[in-house]
Amino acid sequence: MKCTIIGATGYTAVELIRMIEQHPHLEIVSLVSDSKATESITEIYTFMNKKNYSLLREFSLAHLEEVGTELIFLATPSGISKQYLEQLKDWKGKVIDLSGDLRLDQISYEHWYEKPAVEPMIQATATYGLSEWNREAIKTSRLIANPGCYATAVLLGLLPFLKEQVIEPVPIIIHASSGLSGAGKSFSEQTHHVRSNENMRLYKMNRHQHIPEIESVIQTVTGQDAIVSFATHLIPINRGIMATMTLTPRINKSETQWREWLQAFYENEPFVRINGNDPEIKSVVGSNYCDLTIYADARTGHLTVVSVIDNMQKGAVGQAIQNANLMCGYEEALGLTQQPLFI
Amino acid sequence: MKCTIIGATGYTAVELIRMIEQHPHLEIVSLVSDSKATESITEIYTFMNKKNYSLLREFSLAHLEEVGTELIFLATPSGISKQYLEQLKDWKGKVIDLSGDLRLDQISYEHWYEKPAVEPMIQATATYGLSEWNREAIKTSRLIANPGCYATAVLLGLLPFLKEQVIEPVPIIIHASSGLSGAGKSFSEQTHHVRSNENMRLYKMNRHQHIPEIESVIQTVTGQDAIVSFATHLIPINRGIMATMTLTPRINKSETQWREWLQAFYENEPFVRINGNDPEIKSVVGSNYCDLTIYADARTGHLTVVSVIDNMQKGAVGQAIQNANLMCGYEEALGLTQQPLFI
Amino acid sequence: MKCTIIGATGYTAVELIRMIEQHPHLEIVSLVSDSKATESITEIYTFMNKKNYSLLREFSLAHLEEVGTELIFLATPSGISKQYLEQLKDWKGKVIDLSGDLRLDQISYEHWYEKPAVEPMIQATATYGLSEWNREAIKTSRLIANPGCYATAVLLGLLPFLKEQVIEPVPIIIHASSGLSGAGKSFSEQTHHVRSNENMRLYKMNRHQHIPEIESVIQTVTGQDAIVSFATHLIPINRGIMATMTLTPRINKSETQWREWLQAFYENEPFVRINGNDPEIKSVVGSNYCDLTIYADARTGHLTVVSVIDNMQKGAVGQAIQNANLMCGYEEALGLTQQPLFI
Amino acid sequence: MKCTIIGATGYTAVELIRMIEQHPHLEIVSLVSDSKATESITEIYTFMNKKNYSLLREFSLAHLEEVGTELIFLATPSGISKQYLEQLKDWKGKVIDLSGDLRLDQISYEHWYEKPAVEPMIQATATYGLSEWNREAIKTSRLIANPGCYATAVLLGLLPFLKEQVIEPVPIIIHASSGLSGAGKSFSEQTHHVRSNENMRLYKMNRHQHIPEIESVIQTVTGQDAIVSFATHLIPINRGIMATMTLTPRINKSETQWREWLQAFYENEPFVRINGNDPEIKSVVGSNYCDLTIYADARTGHLTVVSVIDNMQKGAVGQAIQNANLMCGYEEALGLTQQPLFI
């Protein structure tokens, strides 16, 4: 499958290149970057220098044709994917957009992202790429809205409980933390080492754009109107997300029973693991796994579900490749079976 | 005021020594360590080597007498303070215990700490040293239960709302994170750099010994039976705690009004600051401040209160010195006015 | 090729398991740990839990036979490999020892390691596994002394210059830094997060056991008696080594000429790259590359050669697999072509 | 002593404010920032918000007069101090410039800094502020060139040996590492957390502007033409410098004798400590100490001297205050006696 990456100099693209290279059936035929066209990716990222990539190219439909592109990864930021999606409207190949531009309807997008949405007709044809929950639709789709990193961690943890209606949809209290790669490659006070190091910072309280994504997917999948209280924090690590979710159960089970229930629910999933130990981000970094831990407490009556993922993998590139596998008819885990990088 | 530190080689003691040295009216007359008696603190911690401390001594009442001790800081771990407290029962000077041994009644202590409690009659005479909320009692006490680090961060954030009965006491959802110094000096897999670095770990879910401390102080101060759902996480920094607390308000105010309300509440406190920006741990590290931020969200109906402290300062040694100042009739902020160490 | 890992619970073993799993022709048939026999590796390292390993086993020749072991990786510490090497003396398969036990002759070993050396006859049959410099011997060897991490970084940088006699063999001044994984899994004050974090520490000055390894390999390969002044530092990262080496050239070339000279020297090596930018550890972490940078300064007359490797990869496991490939007649880079993990 | 800080929003200024606040005889009367004039320092750095600073002001001589400034700290970058120094040429108060603008003569400055030098007549009146080596001149000076951070660490380690002519002045091989605060507050790829974290990078090889500073001070103090080979590295910590220096002794002493010799040399210095243990940056962070360690090796014939300082303290602000104390006739250590922040 011949792949082109658009937005080829950001962090997402770097990870896509790394992962596609170890995938047996995907091949990069072009790297597109309008801002760095004619530059060499291996001069920007010198650590890649044993690889033979052609120079970065400007986007054009003719170029996609010329190199025989069959699958496009849009590794562009939210608000920038829009322009490529509109130009690709009549293009016949497959597209996976890793930005937020296809995840929300127009009204919701413009409210939460505070920028113009992609044409609604395009957004309407996109399939939400939460692989475990939308597998059949993904297989036949040609346009994927790859889920947000926090949304992936949260939804994989919440959906079994909401689907089976064993918890209340309101309130759902989520406190999540992410490493710095989630903030992308651009410079800011928050990403300056001296500021971020030895620090933890809460940001976008009640304003995070993954809130409507989470709530709308819950609506679509379970028919329930959940309301999510969502606090996001930046912690001084490069990769990883932990979401700690406090829930109110509707039925009575012991912690062990809940764990077995969840284990049974996800039994056949290659990338979802139910963890019997205290959860930690390191269990998944470098891998496409989502590890879920569940605690039940008689004293408070709460369930606590903890979800950890690598935001660059299951939260972005890993899941994009999982979706590419589904779209292309490959084995779902192909090229994604590496162990976490514990050390 | 002549001070002796018992348990003089742990992290708490190292911070006590640093702070007492810059305090104009406190003076260290002896460092006691039963496990390292006859060793030199400046050979254990060579960075101290321009200071002239006498050798570490075994504990004895005669020795305390001999050096003229007026104030003891117990920097021993929970379960170890007990033995010193019992030997000091009839000693006439002032004692500040930084462990958990005086914070809970016998039944609660033995349940949560899973070890024998100090004699109940001793615990009954101790004053809980949350300076801002127990100032008058501290001034006349001779025995202080210095609060736990998480408990300090949480209670300073919660008590105004519970005292004024403007939030529901149930449920209170708290997700808190701490740096590694909170885990103390002993070795474990969790404190090995390779494991803790680039990691975040949830631990002691529903089992943290600060849960009963928080709930019992709420009972004492406000007469309400709060139930706290408490998730604690380890993050790869040395110092600092952030507690993000999701609350259900009983009255309606805008975010600005809540902020002004809280500002007015703590108006005269030297160490509690109300923060209008996104909170971050770095704002308080190295200082005795507790910074509080408040968010109100019409969509979810929740209040979110975020509290940050330096666990070694306001969460331990800073508050101990603040309490010493109160007990000794000094100005409350004496020796504690240093700025945070932002860089 | 059926592989057994002895010492299967240390950091080296964890990395070996991760790498062997993505190798097309190597297969783990047994994990041996005398200290944790009968335990499960996936309960010790829960992040591995989608893999089906049999329980940890005690070492025995019978067991090796039973599972059909063809290749053993000794992932045991220096001083412990000795006992296995002696028991394996008449075993017919291939052995790669990742400890220091086969790298030095008896006198040198006992002087620098301060413990009893392996039987000299065993050590005499071992081949030093610096793949790029000993390829032909490795191909036909059945016993490999896998090089030390610092020694690998240093020798790959120094040997071209010494071999071609274009620098003085005395003095060679090397200042090197390593991440914490180099210190292994055991606990110590130096590996406690609170101590190592925000710190840099010099250790084993003039006493590092890689000094004689470096000097003896230089002797063997070039016939010269180099004297290496070697300062090693611990820095707060998990993986990676940088060695900055100050050399005195015997001939006159510009910086560009030196770079081209070195480029030509290593032209056909798959894992040695000559870097035109300022060197950084991140360029190689997660990969088997060794990146070399060269600076020539007319003012001082010195050449500075900088070498960076991932101590867990080219400095240990990656090179072990490279050697396994050579010994087994596979393509040398098989299973080792992953990109560095830049993010 | 009434102090004005010019360049009041950079890292150096933040540290100056923190230190001046705990100094009994220095008082901040104005904070000057041409780029942020009329803004509030406590809105830029909200962690300062219990302090009452007046708004940031534009620079003018009239303003200095008006607020009664007696001592100016120039916390402006190299190349920017120049313009203030020229405007202050006839001002009568004391000035300490923390930039590099007064450290080198015009030719050297313009060669190494690659920008226009300050007027030579101004530079000629400046006193080099390496407190321990220029104490008497500093006491009577009105204009101080505060030393560079690396230069301070290196010179305090080298000068005793060169002054006493017990080492060769050529070659001197120095490999030094610094934390990120040394790179200042501005944004770059190198200071982005994702890049700097888990990394070590060599930079400015043979081009660092502290090379001529080190060599010219050696010339001035000892009359010898030393040639320094200087490699500087960035490591992922916030504060601290370690310089490892390899030297060739002219006389024969044991390691213990060298240590005693150096101890005797610096016997009366309040801020120079001779360390008998392996050196580490953490020993000095937060303090004004310079810790020196010395190793002698019979095998190589080299002396290795290791110097550690906190780049924000002895490498910048601490030394500036030490110099202010000398200029103002205060006790040299006033306001600088805090312990290192080991935890």
Side-chain angles (χ1 to χ4, degrees):
Chain A
M1 183 73 40
K2 297 184 177 194
C3 304
T4 287
I5 298 172
I6 299 178
T9 65
Y11 284 165
T12 308
V14 169
E15 185 76 349
L16 272 167
I17 293 169
R18 189 174 75 87
M19 294 305 291
I20 290 174
E21 291 219 338
Q22 57 196 57
H23 191 288
H25 297 339
L26 300 182
E27 175 201 4
I28 297 171
V29 293
S30 183
L31 299 173
V32 168
S33 167
D34 281 326
S35 63
K36 308 258 183 183
T38 77
E39 293 186 38
S40 159
I41 190 76
T42 58
E43 293 194 1
I44 297 172
Y45 294 110
T46 57
F47 67 90
M48 291 184 188
N49 73 4
K50 280 272 174 175
K51 313 292 172 179
N52 297 310
Y53 303 109
S54 51
L55 296 184
L56 294 166
R57 292 289 301 259
E58 276 195 356
F59 174 83
S60 80
L61 289 170
H63 173 64
L64 294 179
E65 182 83 7
E66 187 187 347
V67 294
T69 305
E70 298 166 277
L71 171 58
I72 289 173
F73 292 96
L74 279 175
T76 33
S78 299
I80 305 296
S81 280
K82 167 182 156 63
Q83 66 188 75
Y84 296 107
L85 289 165
E86 289 170 0
Q87 292 182 76
L88 289 165
K89 191 159 48 170
D90 300 320
W91 187 69
K92 297 302 181 202
K94 301 176 201 299
V95 177
I96 297 174
D97 176 26
L98 288 95
S99 86
D101 282 2
L102 295 172
R103 296 177 198 152
L104 300 181
D105 66 31
Q106 184 181 13
I107 289 170
S108 192
Y109 184 90
E110 298 191 344
H111 175 72
W112 289 88
Y113 282 81
E114 296 179 339
K115 45 183 113 171
V118 73
E119 288 173 23
M121 279 184 51
I122 296 174
Q123 198 269 331
T125 67
T127 302
Y128 189 70
L130 188 64
S131 322
E132 285 73 11
W133 285 86
N134 215 11
R135 190 170 275 127
E136 295 314 311
I138 294 165
K139 285 181 181 169
T140 58
S141 179
R142 66 159 282 277
L143 179 59
I144 299 291
N146 212 58
C149 51
Y150 282 119
T152 298
V154 164
L155 288 167
L156 288 174
L158 286 183
L159 286 175
F161 299 90
L162 288 164
K163 178 74 174 175
E164 300 296 318
Q165 308 206 4
V166 295
I167 60 165
E168 302 292 343
V170 181
I172 291 174
I173 314 292
I174 306 173
H175 295 192
S177 298
S178 172
L180 269 291
S181 62
K185 198 190 161 190
S186 56
F187 302 148
S188 73
E189 297 219 352
Q190 315 315 328
T191 61
H192 191 298
H193 184 99
V194 174
R195 181 73 167 268
S196 56
N197 184 33
E198 295 297 290
N199 203 1
M200 177 183 201
R201 182 181 179 89
L202 186 147
Y203 67 107
K204 288 198 187 173
M205 183 69 212
N206 298 320
R207 295 184 292 109
H208 200 288
Q209 67 277 11
H210 291 181
I211 295 172
E213 181 178 343
I214 292 165
E215 291 179 352
S216 76
V217 174
I218 291 173
Q219 227 303 321
T220 306
V221 172
T222 77
Q224 292 169 90
D225 290 322
I227 297 180
V228 167
S229 194
F230 194 52
T232 46
H233 309 78
L234 213 53
I235 56 172
I237 64 175
N238 277 6
R239 287 173 178 242
I241 281 178
M242 176 177 282
T244 304
M245 304 183 264
T246 305
L247 311 173
T248 307
R250 284 178 171 166
I251 61 172
N252 198 23
K253 284 183 194 289
S254 72
E255 193 167 291
T256 304
Q257 287 170 327
W258 279 116
R259 186 167 298 140
E260 288 165 358
W261 177 89
L262 192 58
Q263 179 73 59
F265 194 96
Y266 275 132
E267 192 163 31
N268 298 312
E269 287 300 336
F271 294 119
V272 182
R273 307 191 294 191
I274 314 307
N275 185 12
N277 298 78
D278 285 340
E280 57 189 315
I281 277 177
K282 187 152 280 194
S283 292
V284 297
V285 164
S287 82
N288 198 45
Y289 291 117
C290 173
D291 280 7
L292 299 175
T293 310
I294 185 163
Y295 299 97
D297 187 32
R299 214 181 58 83
T300 63
H302 288 132
L303 275 186
T304 304
V305 174
V306 187
S307 177
V308 291
I309 61 168
D310 180 338
N311 59 302
M312 298 299 292
Q313 286 278 324
K314 186 63 184 167
V317 167
Q319 185 154 246
I321 299 215
Q322 191 177 352
N323 287 331
N325 286 339
L326 289 169
M327 293 167 92
C328 299
Y330 305 144
E331 192 203 345
E332 188 170 338
L334 204 64
L336 293 169
T337 54
Q338 76 282 2
Q339 290 239 21
L341 196 81
F342 196 69
I343 296 162
Chain B
M1 183 73 42
K2 298 187 174 187
C3 304
T4 287
I5 298 172
I6 298 178
T9 65
Y11 285 165
T12 309
V14 169
E15 185 77 348
L16 273 168
I17 293 169
R18 189 175 75 87
M19 295 304 291
I20 291 174
E21 291 219 336
Q22 57 196 54
H23 191 288
H25 297 338
L26 300 181
E27 175 200 3
I28 297 172
V29 293
S30 184
L31 299 172
V32 168
S33 168
D34 280 328
S35 63
K36 307 260 183 180
T38 77
E39 293 186 38
S40 159
I41 190 75
T42 58
E43 294 196 359
I44 298 172
Y45 293 111
T46 58
F47 67 90
M48 291 186 189
N49 73 4
K50 281 272 170 171
K51 314 292 172 179
N52 297 311
Y53 303 110
S54 51
L55 296 183
L56 293 165
R57 293 290 301 261
E58 276 195 355
F59 175 82
S60 79
L61 290 170
H63 172 64
L64 295 179
E65 182 83 10
E66 189 188 347
V67 294
T69 305
E70 297 166 277
L71 170 59
I72 289 173
F73 292 96
L74 279 175
T76 34
S78 298
I80 305 296
S81 279
K82 167 183 156 62
Q83 66 190 73
Y84 296 106
L85 289 164
E86 289 170 1
Q87 292 181 77
L88 289 164
K89 188 158 50 171
D90 300 320
W91 187 69
K92 297 303 180 201
K94 300 177 202 300
V95 177
I96 297 175
D97 176 25
L98 288 95
S99 86
D101 283 1
L102 295 172
R103 296 178 197 152
L104 299 181
D105 67 30
Q106 184 181 14
I107 289 169
S108 193
Y109 183 91
E110 297 190 345
H111 176 71
W112 289 88
Y113 282 82
E114 297 180 336
K115 45 184 111 170
V118 72
E119 288 174 22
M121 279 183 53
I122 296 174
Q123 198 269 332
T125 67
T127 302
Y128 189 69
L130 188 65
S131 321
E132 286 74 11
W133 285 86
N134 216 12
R135 192 169 273 130
E136 296 313 310
I138 294 165
K139 284 181 182 171
T140 58
S141 178
R142 66 160 283 277
L143 180 59
I144 299 291
N146 212 57
C149 51
Y150 282 119
T152 298
V154 164
L155 288 167
L156 288 174
L158 286 184
L159 285 175
F161 299 89
L162 288 164
K163 177 75 175 174
E164 301 296 318
Q165 308 206 5
V166 295
I167 60 165
E168 300 293 343
V170 180
I172 292 174
I173 314 291
I174 306 174
H175 295 191
S177 298
S178 171
L180 269 289
S181 62
K185 197 189 162 190
S186 56
F187 302 148
S188 73
E189 297 218 352
Q190 314 316 327
T191 62
H192 190 296
H193 184 97
V194 174
R195 180 73 168 266
S196 57
N197 185 33
E198 296 297 288
N199 202 2
M200 178 183 201
R201 182 182 178 90
L202 186 147
Y203 68 107
K204 287 197 185 173
M205 184 69 213
N206 298 320
R207 296 184 292 110
H208 200 288
Q209 66 277 9
H210 291 181
I211 294 172
E213 182 178 343
I214 292 165
E215 291 179 353
S216 75
V217 174
I218 291 173
Q219 226 305 319
T220 306
V221 172
T222 77
Q224 290 169 90
D225 290 323
I227 298 179
V228 167
S229 194
F230 194 53
T232 47
H233 308 78
L234 213 53
I235 57 172
I237 63 174
N238 278 6
R239 286 173 178 242
I241 281 178
M242 176 177 281
T244 304
M245 303 183 266
T246 305
L247 310 172
T248 307
R250 287 179 171 164
I251 61 172
N252 198 24
K253 284 180 194 291
S254 72
E255 193 166 292
T256 305
Q257 287 170 328
W258 279 115
R259 188 168 297 140
E260 288 164 359
W261 177 89
L262 192 58
Q263 179 73 58
F265 194 96
Y266 275 130
E267 191 161 33
N268 297 311
E269 288 300 336
F271 295 120
V272 182
R273 308 190 296 193
I274 314 306
N275 185 12
N277 298 78
D278 284 342
E280 58 189 315
I281 277 177
K282 189 152 280 192
S283 292
V284 298
V285 164
S287 81
N288 199 45
Y289 291 117
C290 172
D291 279 7
L292 299 175
T293 310
I294 185 162
Y295 298 96
D297 187 32
R299 213 181 59 83
T300 62
H302 288 133
L303 276 186
T304 305
V305 174
V306 188
S307 177
V308 290
I309 61 169
D310 180 338
N311 60 301
M312 299 299 291
Q313 286 277 324
K314 186 63 186 169
V317 167
Q319 185 154 248
I321 298 209
Q322 191 178 351
N323 288 330
N325 287 337
L326 289 169
M327 294 166 92
C328 300
Y330 304 145
E331 192 204 345
E332 188 170 337
L334 203 66
L336 293 169
T337 54
Q338 76 280 3
Q339 288 239 23
L341 195 82
F342 197 68
I343 295 161
Chain C
M1 182 72 41
K2 299 185 174 190
C3 304
T4 287
I5 299 172
I6 298 178
T9 65
Y11 284 165
T12 308
V14 170
E15 185 77 348
L16 272 167
I17 293 169
R18 189 174 75 88
M19 294 304 291
I20 290 174
E21 290 219 339
Q22 58 195 56
H23 191 288
H25 297 339
L26 300 182
E27 174 200 6
I28 297 172
V29 293
S30 184
L31 300 172
V32 168
S33 167
D34 280 328
S35 63
K36 308 258 183 182
T38 78
E39 293 185 37
S40 159
I41 190 76
T42 58
E43 294 195 0
I44 298 172
Y45 295 110
T46 57
F47 68 90
M48 292 185 187
N49 72 6
K50 281 271 172 174
K51 314 292 174 179
N52 298 310
Y53 302 111
S54 50
L55 296 183
L56 294 166
R57 293 290 301 260
E58 277 196 354
F59 175 83
S60 80
L61 290 171
H63 173 64
L64 295 179
E65 182 81 10
E66 187 187 348
V67 294
T69 304
E70 297 166 278
L71 169 58
I72 289 172
F73 291 97
L74 279 174
T76 32
S78 299
I80 305 295
S81 280
K82 166 182 158 62
Q83 66 189 73
Y84 296 107
L85 289 165
E86 290 170 0
Q87 291 181 76
L88 289 165
K89 188 159 51 171
D90 301 319
W91 187 70
K92 296 303 180 202
K94 300 178 201 298
V95 177
I96 298 175
D97 176 26
L98 287 96
S99 86
D101 283 2
L102 295 172
R103 297 179 196 151
L104 300 180
D105 65 31
Q106 183 180 14
I107 289 169
S108 192
Y109 183 91
E110 297 189 345
H111 175 70
W112 289 88
Y113 283 80
E114 297 179 336
K115 46 184 112 172
V118 72
E119 288 173 23
M121 279 184 51
I122 295 174
Q123 198 269 333
T125 66
T127 303
Y128 189 70
L130 188 65
S131 323
E132 285 73 12
W133 285 86
N134 215 11
R135 191 169 273 130
E136 295 313 311
I138 294 165
K139 284 180 182 171
T140 58
S141 179
R142 65 160 283 277
L143 181 58
I144 300 292
N146 213 58
C149 51
Y150 282 119
T152 298
V154 164
L155 289 167
L156 288 174
L158 286 183
L159 285 175
F161 299 89
L162 288 165
K163 178 74 176 177
E164 300 297 317
Q165 307 204 7
V166 294
I167 61 166
E168 300 293 342
V170 181
I172 292 173
I173 314 291
I174 306 173
H175 295 192
S177 298
S178 172
L180 270 287
S181 62
K185 198 190 161 190
S186 56
F187 303 148
S188 74
E189 297 218 352
Q190 315 314 328
T191 61
H192 191 298
H193 185 98
V194 173
R195 181 71 168 268
S196 57
N197 184 34
E198 297 295 291
N199 203 2
M200 177 183 200
R201 183 183 178 90
L202 187 147
Y203 68 107
K204 287 196 186 173
M205 184 70 214
N206 298 320
R207 295 184 293 109
H208 200 287
Q209 66 276 11
H210 292 181
I211 294 172
E213 181 178 344
I214 292 165
E215 290 179 353
S216 76
V217 175
I218 290 172
Q219 227 302 323
T220 305
V221 173
T222 78
Q224 292 169 91
D225 291 322
I227 298 179
V228 167
S229 194
F230 194 51
T232 46
H233 308 78
L234 212 53
I235 56 172
I237 63 174
N238 277 7
R239 285 174 178 243
I241 281 177
M242 177 178 280
T244 304
M245 304 182 265
T246 305
L247 310 172
T248 307
R250 284 177 171 165
I251 62 173
N252 198 23
K253 286 183 193 290
S254 72
E255 194 168 289
T256 303
Q257 288 171 326
W258 278 116
R259 188 167 298 141
E260 289 165 358
W261 177 89
L262 192 59
Q263 178 73 59
F265 194 95
Y266 275 130
E267 192 161 33
N268 298 312
E269 288 300 336
F271 295 119
V272 182
R273 308 191 294 193
I274 315 306
N275 185 12
N277 298 77
D278 284 340
E280 58 190 316
I281 277 177
K282 188 153 279 193
S283 292
V284 298
V285 164
S287 82
N288 198 45
Y289 291 118
C290 172
D291 280 7
L292 299 175
T293 310
I294 185 162
Y295 299 96
D297 187 32
R299 212 181 60 82
T300 62
H302 288 132
L303 275 185
T304 306
V305 174
V306 187
S307 177
V308 289
I309 61 168
D310 179 338
N311 60 300
M312 298 300 292
Q313 286 278 322
K314 186 63 184 168
V317 168
Q319 184 154 245
I321 299 215
Q322 191 179 351
N323 288 332
N325 286 338
L326 289 168
M327 293 166 93
C328 300
Y330 304 144
E331 191 203 345
E332 188 169 339
L334 203 65
L336 294 169
T337 54
Q338 76 281 3
Q339 289 239 22
L341 195 82
F342 197 66
I343 294 161
Chain D
M1 182 74 39
K2 296 183 177 192
C3 303
T4 286
I5 299 171
I6 298 178
T9 66
Y11 285 164
T12 309
V14 170
E15 185 77 348
L16 273 167
I17 293 169
R18 189 175 76 87
M19 295 304 291
I20 291 174
E21 290 219 338
Q22 58 195 55
H23 192 288
H25 297 339
L26 301 181
E27 176 200 4
I28 297 172
V29 293
S30 185
L31 299 172
V32 168
S33 167
D34 280 328
S35 63
K36 307 257 183 183
T38 77
E39 293 186 38
S40 160
I41 189 76
T42 57
E43 293 194 1
I44 298 173
Y45 294 110
T46 57
F47 67 89
M48 292 184 187
N49 73 4
K50 281 270 172 174
K51 315 290 176 181
N52 297 310
Y53 303 109
S54 49
L55 296 183
L56 294 165
R57 292 291 301 260
E58 276 196 354
F59 175 83
S60 80
L61 290 170
H63 172 64
L64 295 179
E65 181 83 10
E66 188 188 347
V67 294
T69 305
E70 298 166 278
L71 171 58
I72 288 172
F73 292 96
L74 279 174
T76 33
S78 297
I80 305 295
S81 279
K82 166 183 157 62
Q83 65 189 74
Y84 296 107
L85 289 164
E86 288 170 2
Q87 292 181 76
L88 288 165
K89 189 159 51 171
D90 301 319
W91 187 70
K92 297 303 181 202
K94 300 176 201 300
V95 177
I96 298 175
D97 176 26
L98 287 96
S99 87
D101 283 1
L102 295 172
R103 297 177 195 151
L104 300 180
D105 66 30
Q106 183 181 14
I107 289 170
S108 192
Y109 183 91
E110 296 190 345
H111 176 71
W112 289 88
Y113 283 80
E114 296 179 338
K115 44 184 116 173
V118 73
E119 287 173 23
M121 279 182 51
I122 295 173
Q123 198 270 331
T125 67
T127 302
Y128 188 71
L130 188 65
S131 322
E132 285 73 12
W133 286 86
N134 216 10
R135 191 169 274 129
E136 296 312 312
I138 293 165
K139 285 181 183 172
T140 59
S141 178
R142 67 159 281 278
L143 181 59
I144 300 291
N146 213 58
C149 52
Y150 282 119
T152 298
V154 164
L155 289 167
L156 288 174
L158 286 183
L159 286 175
F161 299 89
L162 289 164
K163 178 74 175 174
E164 300 296 318
Q165 307 204 6
V166 294
I167 61 165
E168 300 294 342
V170 181
I172 292 174
I173 315 291
I174 306 174
H175 296 193
S177 299
S178 172
L180 269 289
S181 62
K185 197 190 161 189
S186 56
F187 303 149
S188 74
E189 298 219 350
Q190 315 315 328
T191 61
H192 191 297
H193 185 97
V194 174
R195 181 71 168 269
S196 57
N197 185 34
E198 296 297 290
N199 203 1
M200 178 183 200
R201 183 183 178 89
L202 186 146
Y203 68 106
K204 287 196 185 173
M205 184 70 212
N206 298 319
R207 296 183 293 109
H208 200 288
Q209 66 277 10
H210 292 180
I211 295 172
E213 181 178 343
I214 292 165
E215 291 179 352
S216 75
V217 174
I218 291 172
Q219 227 303 320
T220 306
V221 172
T222 77
Q224 292 169 88
D225 290 323
I227 297 180
V228 167
S229 194
F230 194 51
T232 46
H233 308 78
L234 213 52
I235 56 172
I237 63 174
N238 277 7
R239 287 173 177 242
I241 282 177
M242 177 177 279
T244 304
M245 304 182 265
T246 305
L247 310 172
T248 307
R250 284 177 172 166
I251 61 173
N252 198 23
K253 284 183 194 291
S254 71
E255 193 167 289
T256 304
Q257 287 170 327
W258 278 116
R259 185 168 299 139
E260 288 165 358
W261 177 89
L262 191 59
Q263 179 72 58
F265 193 95
Y266 275 131
E267 190 162 33
N268 298 312
E269 287 302 336
F271 294 119
V272 182
R273 308 190 295 192
I274 314 307
N275 185 13
N277 298 77
D278 284 340
E280 57 189 315
I281 278 177
K282 189 152 278 194
S283 292
V284 297
V285 164
S287 82
N288 198 46
Y289 291 117
C290 172
D291 279 7
L292 299 175
T293 310
I294 186 163
Y295 298 96
D297 187 33
R299 213 183 57 83
T300 62
H302 288 133
L303 275 185
T304 305
V305 174
V306 188
S307 176
V308 289
I309 61 168
D310 180 338
N311 60 302
M312 299 298 293
Q313 286 278 324
K314 186 62 183 169
V317 168
Q319 185 155 244
I321 300 220
Q322 191 178 353
N323 288 330
N325 286 338
L326 289 168
M327 293 166 93
C328 299
Y330 304 145
E331 193 204 343
E332 188 169 338
L334 203 65
L336 293 169
T337 54
Q338 77 281 2
Q339 288 239 22
L341 196 81
F342 196 68
I343 296 161

